[in-house]
Amino acid sequence: MSDRIHSLSGYIHEYQRSVNQPEQFWSRIADSFHWQKRWDKVVDWDFEGPDVKWFLNAKLNITENIFERYLFTHGDHPAIIWEPNEPNESNQTITLRQLYEKVNQFSNAMKAKGVGKGDRVIIYMPMVPEAAVAMLACARIGAVHSVVFAGFSSNALADRINDCSAKMVLTADGNFRGAKSIPVKAVVDEALEKTSTVEKVIVFERTKEAVDMKAGRDIWWHDAIKGQSTECKAEVMDSEDLLFILYTSGSTGKPKGVVHTCGGYMVYTKYSFENVFQYEPGDVYWCTADVGWITGHSYIVYGPLLAGATTVMFEGVPTYPDAGRFWEVVEKYKVNQFYTAPTAIRALQAHGTEPVTKHDLSSLKVIGTVGEPINEEAWHWYHSHVGKMKCPVVDTWWQTETGGIMISPLAGVTPTKPSYATLPLPGVQLVIVDADGKELKGNSVEGNLCIKYPWPSMIRTTYGDHERCKQTYFSTYKGMYFTGDGVKRDEDGYYRILGRVDDVINVSGHRMGTAEVENAINEHPKVIESAVVGYPHEVKGQGIYAYVICDMENRTEENLTNEISETVRNIIGPIAKPDKIQIVPGLPKTRSGKIMRRILRKIAEGDTSNLGDTSTLLNPEVVEAIKEGAK
Ligand code: 6R9
C-alpha cells in the first residue's frame, strides 16, 4: 500500500491534516508497516529536554519491512544494481531474495564474532553492495551501525570509534575511486592503534591489494560467512531503540554522533521517498551519494528498500573515466529517478553539454538535488540538459539531524521554482524567526529556520552527550528545533534556503565546522593561531580559506602552506584541505579578543571595499596587511 500524494490539492489536504491531527495522520501512515507489536501512543515530546519518542512501546525490525514484507511477491525483483568504478568490470544485480540471504548470512557471521543487540559497529567501506549488507545486518541483529565515510583519515576514524566505543569494524582491503585506489584497511590499522574497544575487524576483499591481517583480530569477509546459515531471525526492537549513529560537523568542537531510532526513521524515510520521488513499482532509482553520509543512509539504502524499490549503487566518481559517466549509467540501467548534488552538477556543467547529449536519457522522470543551495544557473542547466525540460527538479532540503527530506517539491505535484526547495512535506511545521527568536509570520520574510513540532525521523540525542544535543539544537530558540540555516519565504509562501548562519561551511555538499578545521591546522607545530572561513567557490559552492599566523623560522611560505595542508589531510581527511592558506602577521580581533570573522569573510570573498568600521579593533593595522597579502 502506498501513501503517495498525486495532486497539489491532495498535498494541501494532507498537509493540513498533518498539522491539525498529527497523531491520526502519522498513525495512518505507520499502519501500512509490519509491527511485531503496535504502539500505545503515537508521539510523546518535549523540546526542552529534549525528549522525543514516536510509536511508543511498538516493537519492530526495520529489515522485516524490507524483506519479509515483499519476499513472497517480489523475491526476484532487483533490489540493488551495483555499478563498479571501472565501466567494463562486471556489474551486479542483486534480487531481493539474494540480498535477504546475504544480510542473514552476514548477520550470523557478526553474531558468531560476538556482536549482539546494542553493540556499536563501525562501517568504513567503499561503495560496494556489502556496505548496504553490513548496515542491514546490523539492523537485523539490533547492533547500532555507525558508517564513517571511507575518505576520512585514521585520526577522524579513531575519534568516532572511541566516541561510541565500537566493538567491531567492517572494512575492505581498498577502495577504487576514479583513477585512484585508496588503502582503506591500512587506515583502519592506524586508527586502531589509538583505540581499545574494537575486538574484531571483518575485511571485504575488493581491490586484492596486500594488507596486514592481524591474527586473532582480523577476518576476511568470505571466511566469516563460510558455513553461516542464510536464515537469521530478526531481533525484536523497540521503536525507540537505536538504529544508527552518524557523525556530523557542527560549529564547535569535534563531530557529534547524531542518533536515529528504529520506528520513526523507518516510517519517515519510506513516506518521504515515495512522495518526493513519486516512485512507482518497477522504476529504477539512483542516488549518487556515498553511504557514509545521511543521504546514502536514507535514500540509497533505507527509504528505497522500504518502498520495495530498485536502488542503484555506484562505486565511482562523476568524471571517471570521463564526464559522461553519470549519463552512461542512466542510459545503461534506464534510470527513472536520479538524485545528486549541486557540486556534481556544476562540475559536469563545466564540461559542456556534449557528454550529456551523447546519451539517451529518455528514461528519466524525476531529477533531484541535495546537500547545498543550488544556484539558478546550475538548476537551469540540470533542468534543460539532463531533464530535457520535462522532468521536475526536486530540490530537497534536509539534514543529518532531520533523518529525511523536510522541504521539497513532490515531483510533478508541486510547481517548482529555480533555487527553491518550495514547500514542507506533510508533518513538517516550519517557523522563521528573527535574531531575537520572534516568529516572522506571513510571506516575504527572511530569517532563521526552525521547526516547532516533532517529526518521526528527527534526531533523538547526540551519542553520549545529551546536553550537547540540547545546547546545539534546542537552546537557541526556546521550544523549537533550530536548523542552523537561513531561509527566505517569498511572496508565494515558497522556501528558499540561504545557507548556514553558524560557523559551519558546506564544501561540495560536505559539512565542516570552521573550528574543526582550525583545530587541525593548529596541530602543526609552527602554527600559532588560525581562523577559517568559507568563501564562494564556483564548483564546490564554498571553499575553505585559512588565515594562519606562523612561526616562520627555517621555513618558506610554500613549505609551510604545503605542510599545513598535509596536517589537515592527516587529521580530518582530503575533503577538509583548505583551498587557500594565507600566512598573516595577525588576526583582526575585538577588544574582548574575539576574531572578527566578518572581516575575514569579506577579504576571502575579494570584497574589501566595504569592511565596515575597523577602528574599534584591537589591531586595525593588521587588516591592511591581510588585504595586501590576499592580493
Ligand atoms: C542532507 C544533507 C545539511 C546542511 C543543511 C543545509 C545544507 C542540504 C540543501 C541544503 C540548500 C538544499 N543543505 N540540502 N541547502 N538547499 N536542498 O545534506 O545533510 O550533510 O547534514 O547537511 O546542508 O545547510 O543544514 P547534511
Side-chain angles (χ1 to χ4, degrees), residues 11 46 75 109 192 196 270 289 293 340 342 404 420 437 455 458-459 475 538-539 587-588 613-614:
Y11 161 76
D46 147 36
L192 292 187
S196 58
K270 172 178 184 276
W293 313 116
T340 195
Y420 280 76
W455 63 101
M458 74 182 289
I459 179 174
S475 301
E538 266 198 17
V539 173
L587 293 167
D613 183 13
T614 55

Side-chain angles (χ1 to χ4, degrees), residues 248 293-295 339 369-374 395-401 407 421 483-485 497-500 506 509-511:
T248 191
W293 313 116
I294 190 69
T295 305
Y339 191 28
T369 80
V370 58
E372 52 182 316
I374 180 164
D395 175 356
T396 63
W397 175 86
W398 58 296
Q399 308 178 298
T400 304
E401 295 85 346
I407 312 180
T483 63
D485 279 307
I497 305 297
L498 303 171
R500 301 289 303 197
N506 194 324
H510 304 319
R511 269 167 75 168

